Amino acid sequence: MSTPPGYFDTMYASSADPWDLAGRWYERRKYALTVAALPRPHYRSAFEPGCSVGVLTERLARRCDRLLAVDRVESAVRTAAERVRGLDHVEVATMAVPGQWPGGSFDLIVLSELLYYFDDDTRGRLLDRALESLEPGGTLVAVHWDHPVPEHHRTGSELAAPLASVPGLSPLTDVRDSDFRLQVFTRTDPADGTPLSPAAEEGLL
Ligand SMILES: C[S@@+](CC[C@H](N)C(=O)[O-])C[C@H]1O[C@@H](n2cnc3c(N)ncnc32)[C@H](O)[C@@H]1O
């Protein structure tokens, strides 16, 4: 069974930012590494489910023409919306994935500290939906805390193999930090075969 929704409601009832995402150096460093690992300088349309209070959202916004950030908890959505107020290309909404999923297609999907809350079946459905809405050549990022937590079904490294075996995802980056696992994949285009690396894109290979 996935982590019950009541867990998140209880967390946000105790604090507006229960994981201190806006305050911790650990988070700032991880967010910096996450955006640094994006293979393209700029994206057309990005989706960030489980955005919480919008700290990573604000950083991703600098790299996107359009960004949709969603969370299942309304108070988190309000805090995130306040953080990105004035950034007209960013939309923040209440949504519980994968049961709810936005229409349209994206060239970037960021799954940051989210996948470990789902049981294997629900995580599989979420990844199916992500793959359906990720354009060929698009980027999927997965970054997760790599220590056991009672409310987490998997550590970051336990998620790494199932992610790497998803058909249609080609691995680009795999960072095994002491505290988190960061993987970046490119959505393969069946017609084009293996996607080019950033160096190959610029003709360095
Ligand atoms: C640990 S926080 C991570 C926040 C952010 N992604 C980051 O990396 O800083 C996890 C967030 O995911 C949200 N969440 C959990 N399950 C969700 C779901 N099924 N749909 C949308 N958001 C969800 C929680 O409400 C919480 O705000």
Side-chain angles (χ1 to χ4, degrees):
M1 197 180 80
S2 296
T3 305
Y7 166 73
F8 303 103
D9 295 330
T10 304
M11 292 295 281
Y12 284 102
S14 65
S15 165
D17 180 6
W19 294 277
D20 195 13
L21 303 177
R24 286 206 171 108
W25 164 246
Y26 161 78
E27 300 292 350
R28 285 215 303 282
R29 171 177 174 269
K30 187 191 60 183
Y31 293 147
L33 288 165
T34 301
V35 294
L38 295 178
R40 292 191 199 161
H42 210 79
Y43 288 87
R44 181 188 65 77
S45 183
F47 179 45
E48 185 202 6
C51 66
S52 183
V53 294
V55 186
L56 179 58
T57 313
E58 196 177 24
R59 285 177 179 252
L60 292 170
R62 300 174 201 147
R63 301 279 292 274
C64 307
D65 291 334
R66 191 176 166 273
L67 170 60
L68 173 63
V70 306
D71 201 281
R72 69 175 310 140
V73 178
E74 275 182 31
S75 70
V77 168
R78 281 197 298 276
T79 308
E82 180 60 29
R83 192 180 306 282
V84 299
R85 191 155 55 99
L87 300 178
D88 294 340
H89 64 299
V90 182
E91 182 187 351
V92 188
T94 306
M95 189 181 285
V97 294
Q100 298 173 296
W101 199 264
S105 65
F106 303 96
D107 56 357
L108 172 64
I109 296 179
V110 177
L111 306 172
S112 173
E113 309 293 357
L114 180 70
L115 285 181
Y116 43 53
Y117 291 123
F118 300 105
D119 58 36
D120 292 355
D121 282 355
T122 313
R123 185 184 70 241
R125 279 206 302 284
L126 192 157
L127 290 172
D128 285 348
R129 299 203 84 164
L131 265 284
E132 281 161 21
S133 59
L134 188 61
E135 296 168 2
T139 301
L140 183 123
V141 177
V143 53
H144 293 93
W145 179 247
D146 205 14
H147 304 285
V149 173
E151 293 80 12
H152 295 184
H153 290 264
R154 298 271 181 265
T155 63
S157 283
E158 287 167 353
L159 289 166
L163 275 160
S165 68
V166 173
L169 289 182
S170 178
L172 181 70
T173 304
D174 190 350
V175 176
R176 196 172 199 153
D177 189 80
S178 303
D179 293 322
F180 62 84
R181 187 76 177 253
L182 165 65
Q183 290 169 287
V184 182
F185 300 92
T186 304
R187 174 83 164 100
T188 48
D189 183 343
D192 284 352
T194 307
L196 296 179
S197 70
E201 287 277 2
E202 287 198 308
L204 292 170
L205 300 178

